[in-house]
């Protein structure tokens, strides 16, 4: 029985962020599954407000990994990012004819989960048994080469024949 070490995971959360969860999810999708340096680059060049908040949460998760587990930033990747809805602040706005319109000021909780990249174990090629080496194997049939005459026949049939000009 082989023992496999599970990769260490770290997470960071930002709660009650004054932003619509729908808008934050659009940015969160861009960094999911990427390495941390690559995710930072993507967030740096994303022109949405949510990118700045996600960048702070990502930095917090990286700091947690380095301080608590001693994992370097280059060995981490973004395992999961999700944005959950928070409480909604309800406000009212006056409208025509004495009516009101509801204004919903949404909040969200942003979570970034990082994991350590699994170390690839060195693979050892299994030694082939002599019985399989002695077994006859089917030889692949080499492909036929096209001759110049065969290729001319195909092109000649596709083109109309040229008329010869006769000089009188």
């Amino acid at each position: 029985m082989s023992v496999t070490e599970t990769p260490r995971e770290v997470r960071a959360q930002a709660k009650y962020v004054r932003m619509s969860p729908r808008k934050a999810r659009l940015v969160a999708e861009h960094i999911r599954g990427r390495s941390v340096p690559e995710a930072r680059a993507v967030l740096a060049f994303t022109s949405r407000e949510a990118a700045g908040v996600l960048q702070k949460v990502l930095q917090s998760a990286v700091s947690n990994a380095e301080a608590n587990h001693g994992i370097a930033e280059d060995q981490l990747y973004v395992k999961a990012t999700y944005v959950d809805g928070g409480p909604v602040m309800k406000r009212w706005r006056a409208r025509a004819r004495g009516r009101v319109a509801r204004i919903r000021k949404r909040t969200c909780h942003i979570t970034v989960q990082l994991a350590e990249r699994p170390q690839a174990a060195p693979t050892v090629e299994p030694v082939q048994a002599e019985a399989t080496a002695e077994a006859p194997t089917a030889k692949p049939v080499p492909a036929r080469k096209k001759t110049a005459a065969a290729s001319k026949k195909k092109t000649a049939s596709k083109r109309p024949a040229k008329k010869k000009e006769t000089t009188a």
Side-chain angles (χ1 to χ4, degrees), residues 55-124:
Q55 209 165 14
K56 285 183 179 182
V57 178
L58 180 66
Q59 174 58 42
S60 177
V62 170
S63 298
N64 290 343
E66 289 175 350
N68 300 338
H69 300 288
I71 306 171
E73 178 181 334
D74 298 337
Q75 296 174 347
L76 294 169
Y77 75 100
V78 181
K79 183 178 180 182
T81 57
Y82 46 93
V83 180
D84 298 324
V88 179
M89 296 183 287
K90 294 176 180 124
R91 302 290 182 261
W92 303 101
R93 181 176 182 181
R95 304 304 289 170
R97 298 167 138 192
R99 296 181 182 169
V100 293
R102 182 182 297 134
I103 297 173
R104 290 184 295 273
K105 298 191 175 198
R106 300 179 186 272
T107 62
C108 64
H109 307 309
I110 300 172
T111 307
V112 174
Q113 192 171 6
L114 303 179
E116 189 177 20
R117 285 209 181 274
Q119 298 290 334
T123 58
V124 179

Side-chain angles (χ1 to χ4, degrees), residues 113-166:
Q113 192 171 6
L114 303 179
E116 189 177 20
R117 285 209 181 274
Q119 298 290 334
T123 58
V124 179
E125 292 184 25
V127 179
Q128 292 181 352
E130 292 179 17
T132 57
E134 293 175 5
T137 58
K139 292 183 180 178
V141 179
R144 286 192 202 172
K145 289 186 177 180
K146 290 186 179 181
T147 60
S151 63
K152 284 183 183 178
K153 285 181 184 177
K154 288 182 181 178
T155 56
S157 64
K158 291 179 184 176
R159 295 185 200 146
K162 289 186 180 178
K163 294 182 182 179
K164 293 183 181 179
E165 291 183 23
T166 57

